Amino acid sequence: MAKLFDTHAHYTDERLFGNDLLLNELFSADISHILTVATCMEDGAECARLAKRYDGIYASAGIHPHECGKSGSLDDAMTVIENQLTQEKVVALGEIGLDYYYDFSDRETQMRFFRAQMELAKKTGKPVIIHDREAHGDTMDMVREFRGRVIGVLHSCSASAEQVKEYVKMGWYISFSGVITFKNASKTLDSVLATPPERLLLETDCPYLAPVPMRGKTNHSGYLHFTAEKAASLLGMDYDALCALEVENAKKLFGIQ
Ligand SMILES: [Zn+2]
């Protein structure tokens, strides 16, 4: 069975946390690796603990735009994140970025945390995981500012094909979620086609964004193959070849042997 790397999941979410039965099933089926992504300092500690318990699980550390307003002093927060990044199997800084759809943290605070975490990525050499919702222009400007010094992945990509091409030129990877299986996804499908296969990653963003035909259910990595099948057919690639390449791409970006 062709294996996949779920490059963006939230196994510390209460809907999935502690489900050892599910995780064991996933690893004995078609999942080789999972990157469980942190949203705040507390979550980062939890993600790192989970990564210690499972061979196939890796973790990130970072502050999501929703959490910036609740994260206290920027300097103190960056000290905590920098420390978490030194832990075993913590392979990326994220998720960081901007969310102008919900605006749960004010934009100025989101921007300060985003920039500080990009600086930290530059300092530590870790790849970043970017969340960009309705903030394509400002996100791109920040990535341009760090061009050649910070790379990473644009997660659950909703950027245009033109923007994707620019990210790719700057050395970035593009990750697609179950959104590409949705009926109204035509714009995102153009972005898949604009992504060179050697820069393509796949993710569930579980427990969110379950792909068709599981839409509306609690998502998990066992549904990632629906997204992979859609990507393979779009790109005209053999399913097994796409899976093998996706795992290779993710290991390369996250520095996993
Ligand atoms: Zn996420």
mmCIF file of all heavy atoms in Angstrom, residues 239-256:
data_model
loop_
_atom_site.group_PDB
_atom_site.id
_atom_site.type_symbol
_atom_site.label_atom_id
_atom_site.label_comp_id
_atom_site.label_asym_id
_atom_site.label_seq_id
_atom_site.Cartn_x
_atom_site.Cartn_y
_atom_site.Cartn_z
ATOM 1 N N TYR A 239 -0.969 7.079 -8.964
ATOM 2 C CA TYR A 239 -1.227 7.312 -7.540
ATOM 3 C C TYR A 239 -0.020 6.953 -6.672
ATOM 4 O O TYR A 239 0.397 7.743 -5.812
ATOM 5 C CB TYR A 239 -2.464 6.532 -7.083
ATOM 6 C CG TYR A 239 -2.768 6.706 -5.612
ATOM 7 C CD1 TYR A 239 -3.354 7.877 -5.126
ATOM 8 C CD2 TYR A 239 -2.435 5.701 -4.694
ATOM 9 C CE1 TYR A 239 -3.615 8.045 -3.778
ATOM 10 C CE2 TYR A 239 -2.697 5.864 -3.335
ATOM 11 C CZ TYR A 239 -3.282 7.040 -2.880
ATOM 12 O OH TYR A 239 -3.526 7.216 -1.552
ATOM 13 N N ASP A 240 0.546 5.781 -6.883
ATOM 14 C CA ASP A 240 1.678 5.339 -6.044
ATOM 15 C C ASP A 240 2.890 6.256 -6.216
ATOM 16 O O ASP A 240 3.594 6.553 -5.249
ATOM 17 C CB ASP A 240 2.085 3.894 -6.382
ATOM 18 C CG ASP A 240 1.071 2.877 -5.858
ATOM 19 O OD1 ASP A 240 -0.009 3.301 -5.382
ATOM 20 O OD2 ASP A 240 1.351 1.671 -5.934
ATOM 21 N N ALA A 241 3.102 6.712 -7.440
ATOM 22 C CA ALA A 241 4.245 7.604 -7.712
ATOM 23 C C ALA A 241 4.039 8.945 -7.003
ATOM 24 O O ALA A 241 4.977 9.508 -6.421
ATOM 25 C CB ALA A 241 4.403 7.818 -9.217
ATOM 26 N N LEU A 242 2.807 9.444 -7.025
ATOM 27 C CA LEU A 242 2.514 10.712 -6.342
ATOM 28 C C LEU A 242 2.754 10.568 -4.835
ATOM 29 O O LEU A 242 3.366 11.439 -4.210
ATOM 30 C CB LEU A 242 1.072 11.162 -6.597
ATOM 31 C CG LEU A 242 0.722 12.403 -5.784
ATOM 32 C CD1 LEU A 242 0.664 13.650 -6.643
ATOM 33 C CD2 LEU A 242 -0.532 12.260 -4.975
ATOM 34 N N CYS A 243 2.300 9.465 -4.263
ATOM 35 C CA CYS A 243 2.476 9.244 -2.818
ATOM 36 C C CYS A 243 3.972 9.206 -2.466
ATOM 37 O O CYS A 243 4.399 9.853 -1.499
ATOM 38 C CB CYS A 243 1.826 7.937 -2.375
ATOM 39 S SG CYS A 243 0.033 7.937 -2.535
ATOM 40 N N ALA A 244 4.735 8.461 -3.236
ATOM 41 C CA ALA A 244 6.167 8.328 -2.963
ATOM 42 C C ALA A 244 6.852 9.691 -3.029
ATOM 43 O O ALA A 244 7.683 10.039 -2.169
ATOM 44 C CB ALA A 244 6.806 7.349 -3.948
ATOM 45 N N LEU A 245 6.472 10.481 -4.037
ATOM 46 C CA LEU A 245 7.078 11.808 -4.196
ATOM 47 C C LEU A 245 6.664 12.737 -3.051
ATOM 48 O O LEU A 245 7.488 13.492 -2.520
ATOM 49 C CB LEU A 245 6.659 12.403 -5.551
ATOM 50 C CG LEU A 245 7.289 13.754 -5.902
ATOM 51 C CD1 LEU A 245 8.816 13.666 -5.946
ATOM 52 C CD2 LEU A 245 6.754 14.265 -7.246
ATOM 53 N N GLU A 246 5.416 12.653 -2.643
ATOM 54 C CA GLU A 246 4.912 13.519 -1.569
ATOM 55 C C GLU A 246 5.674 13.254 -0.265
ATOM 56 O O GLU A 246 6.064 14.186 0.449
ATOM 57 C CB GLU A 246 3.397 13.310 -1.393
ATOM 58 C CG GLU A 246 2.710 14.356 -0.541
ATOM 59 C CD GLU A 246 2.556 13.991 0.926
ATOM 60 O OE1 GLU A 246 2.656 12.796 1.265
ATOM 61 O OE2 GLU A 246 2.331 14.884 1.743
ATOM 62 N N VAL A 247 5.892 11.977 0.040
ATOM 63 C CA VAL A 247 6.632 11.622 1.267
ATOM 64 C C VAL A 247 8.072 12.153 1.166
ATOM 65 O O VAL A 247 8.595 12.752 2.115
ATOM 66 C CB VAL A 247 6.629 10.087 1.504
ATOM 67 C CG1 VAL A 247 7.534 9.727 2.682
ATOM 68 C CG2 VAL A 247 5.205 9.580 1.746
ATOM 69 N N GLU A 248 8.661 11.971 -0.010
ATOM 70 C CA GLU A 248 10.033 12.440 -0.221
ATOM 71 C C GLU A 248 10.129 13.965 -0.064
ATOM 72 O O GLU A 248 11.047 14.487 0.580
ATOM 73 C CB GLU A 248 10.448 12.025 -1.637
ATOM 74 C CG GLU A 248 11.919 12.124 -1.946
ATOM 75 C CD GLU A 248 12.165 11.829 -3.437
ATOM 76 O OE1 GLU A 248 11.602 10.839 -3.962
ATOM 77 O OE2 GLU A 248 12.908 12.615 -4.061
ATOM 78 N N ASN A 249 9.171 14.690 -0.638
ATOM 79 C CA ASN A 249 9.150 16.159 -0.536
ATOM 80 C C ASN A 249 9.076 16.608 0.923
ATOM 81 O O ASN A 249 9.801 17.511 1.346
ATOM 82 C CB ASN A 249 7.920 16.740 -1.265
ATOM 83 C CG ASN A 249 7.963 16.537 -2.768
ATOM 84 O OD1 ASN A 249 9.000 16.216 -3.330
ATOM 85 N ND2 ASN A 249 6.817 16.701 -3.423
ATOM 86 N N ALA A 250 8.173 15.988 1.671
ATOM 87 C CA ALA A 250 7.969 16.388 3.070
ATOM 88 C C ALA A 250 9.226 16.102 3.892
ATOM 89 O O ALA A 250 9.652 16.934 4.708
ATOM 90 C CB ALA A 250 6.763 15.653 3.647
ATOM 91 N N LYS A 251 9.840 14.926 3.665
ATOM 92 C CA LYS A 251 11.050 14.591 4.421
ATOM 93 C C LYS A 251 12.158 15.577 4.107
ATOM 94 O O LYS A 251 12.941 15.979 4.996
ATOM 95 C CB LYS A 251 11.482 13.158 4.115
ATOM 96 C CG LYS A 251 10.563 12.125 4.766
ATOM 97 C CD LYS A 251 10.720 10.751 4.176
ATOM 98 C CE LYS A 251 11.832 9.975 4.840
ATOM 99 N NZ LYS A 251 11.844 8.567 4.324
ATOM 100 N N LYS A 252 12.228 15.992 2.871
ATOM 101 C CA LYS A 252 13.253 16.945 2.458
ATOM 102 C C LYS A 252 13.048 18.294 3.147
ATOM 103 O O LYS A 252 13.978 18.847 3.756
ATOM 104 C CB LYS A 252 13.204 17.100 0.936
ATOM 105 C CG LYS A 252 14.408 17.774 0.346
ATOM 106 C CD LYS A 252 14.381 17.606 -1.165
ATOM 107 C CE LYS A 252 15.473 18.449 -1.794
ATOM 108 N NZ LYS A 252 15.295 18.531 -3.252
ATOM 109 N N LEU A 253 11.825 18.809 3.088
ATOM 110 C CA LEU A 253 11.562 20.121 3.707
ATOM 111 C C LEU A 253 11.796 20.078 5.214
ATOM 112 O O LEU A 253 12.391 21.008 5.766
ATOM 113 C CB LEU A 253 10.120 20.567 3.407
ATOM 114 C CG LEU A 253 9.704 21.880 4.116
ATOM 115 C CD1 LEU A 253 10.546 23.065 3.651
ATOM 116 C CD2 LEU A 253 8.217 22.170 3.894
ATOM 117 N N PHE A 254 11.333 19.030 5.867
ATOM 118 C CA PHE A 254 11.395 18.992 7.328
ATOM 119 C C PHE A 254 12.679 18.325 7.869
ATOM 120 O O PHE A 254 12.806 18.128 9.067
ATOM 121 C CB PHE A 254 10.143 18.319 7.902
ATOM 122 C CG PHE A 254 8.870 19.057 7.562
ATOM 123 C CD1 PHE A 254 7.853 18.444 6.835
ATOM 124 C CD2 PHE A 254 8.691 20.390 7.929
ATOM 125 C CE1 PHE A 254 6.682 19.135 6.492
ATOM 126 C CE2 PHE A 254 7.529 21.086 7.599
ATOM 127 C CZ PHE A 254 6.525 20.454 6.874
ATOM 128 N N GLY A 255 13.583 17.975 6.951
ATOM 129 C CA GLY A 255 14.876 17.433 7.378
ATOM 130 C C GLY A 255 14.775 16.097 8.113
ATOM 131 O O GLY A 255 15.465 15.866 9.091
ATOM 132 N N ILE A 256 13.898 15.224 7.611
ATOM 133 C CA ILE A 256 13.702 13.905 8.240
ATOM 134 C C ILE A 256 14.405 12.844 7.397
ATOM 135 O O ILE A 256 14.241 12.815 6.182
ATOM 136 C CB ILE A 256 12.193 13.592 8.350
ATOM 137 C CG1 ILE A 256 11.515 14.590 9.293
ATOM 138 C CG2 ILE A 256 11.958 12.158 8.806
ATOM 139 C CD1 ILE A 256 9.996 14.559 9.249
#
